[in-house]
Amino acid sequence: MMPDESDSTWLRVIYDGDCPFCENFMKFYAIRNNAGNVELIDARKRPALVRELRSRGMEINDGMIVMWHGHHYYGAEGMHLLSILGNNSGGIGMLNRLLFRNKKMAAAIYPLLAAGRRVTLALLRRKLIPLEIPSPPLAGEGKSKSVDDGHATGEAPLPPGGNDGGNETK
């Protein structure tokens, strides 16, 4: 059963399904139970959602988007949230925690990942997600409902154990 777009109890991750890094990260990275239900959304398959996010200033070619509890987390902020919600065991979990648990470090590293994605797509001869998506919405995909009035601004809620400094004490 697909959740309604306005259901803020779901954690939604919008990513580029043609990017091998994005695709593999989303497959292998487990989200803790405190995230609740998780929906992974390939942006290439949801043009209406991509249009809505772009209208809010979130360019999917420049960063992934995480929607959780009525807020949008874009790029580095999305990775920071996933590092808080994610499984801390295993190689990917530990690396993600190391790189993105600290907001300042996440903000410094994320642009390098986005640039690496662009280079990789070019080397693989894959295109970026088109700026103008000419195809009509798929059946039942009308205009997405908004889950908040802004994106990645103000103080959005963090999950239990989330912090801004990166040094978690547990």
Side-chain angles (χ1 to χ4, degrees), residues 5 46 48-49 51-52 137-145:
E5 297 267 333
R46 298 284 298 277
L49 179 59
R51 280 191 294 275
E52 178 185 338
L138 300 173
E141 187 187 59
K143 183 168 173 47
S144 298
K145 295 178 188 172

Side-chain angles (χ1 to χ4, degrees), residues 50-115:
V50 170
R51 280 191 294 275
E52 178 185 338
L53 294 168
R54 283 177 170 155
S55 74
R56 293 167 161 250
M58 293 176 276
E59 173 49 57
I60 191 67
N61 285 313
D62 295 333
M64 63 184 284
I65 298 139
V66 179
M67 296 164 47
W68 193 59
H69 285 282
H71 294 275
H72 290 85
Y73 301 84
Y74 178 63
E77 288 187 356
M79 288 299 292
H80 174 70
L81 178 63
L82 291 178
S83 76
I84 293 167
L85 296 174
N87 182 351
N88 292 325
S89 63
I92 292 176
M94 289 188 306
L95 181 62
N96 188 49
R97 180 181 168 146
L98 174 72
L99 296 176
F100 296 103
R101 192 66 174 224
N102 180 296
K103 277 189 172 185
K104 289 179 183 176
M105 185 179 282
I109 292 172
Y110 194 83
L112 299 173
L113 293 178

Side-chain angles (χ1 to χ4, degrees), residues 14-19 41-47 50 60-61 117 121 126-130 133 135 138 141:
I14 299 97
Y15 68 100
D16 181 357
D18 276 4
C19 170
I41 301 170
D42 179 349
R44 293 178 186 269
K45 295 179 181 175
R46 298 284 298 277
V50 170
I60 191 67
N61 285 313
R117 172 190 166 268
L121 288 176
R126 296 180 186 172
K127 296 181 183 211
L128 295 174
I129 298 170
I133 303 173
S135 63
L138 300 173
E141 187 187 59

Side-chain angles (χ1 to χ4, degrees), residues 2 20 28 34 77 100-101 120 124 129 138 148 163-165:
M2 273 305 223
F28 295 118
N34 62 354
E77 288 187 356
F100 296 103
R101 192 66 174 224
T120 301
L124 294 173
I129 298 170
L138 300 173
D148 74 352
N163 63 25
D164 291 341

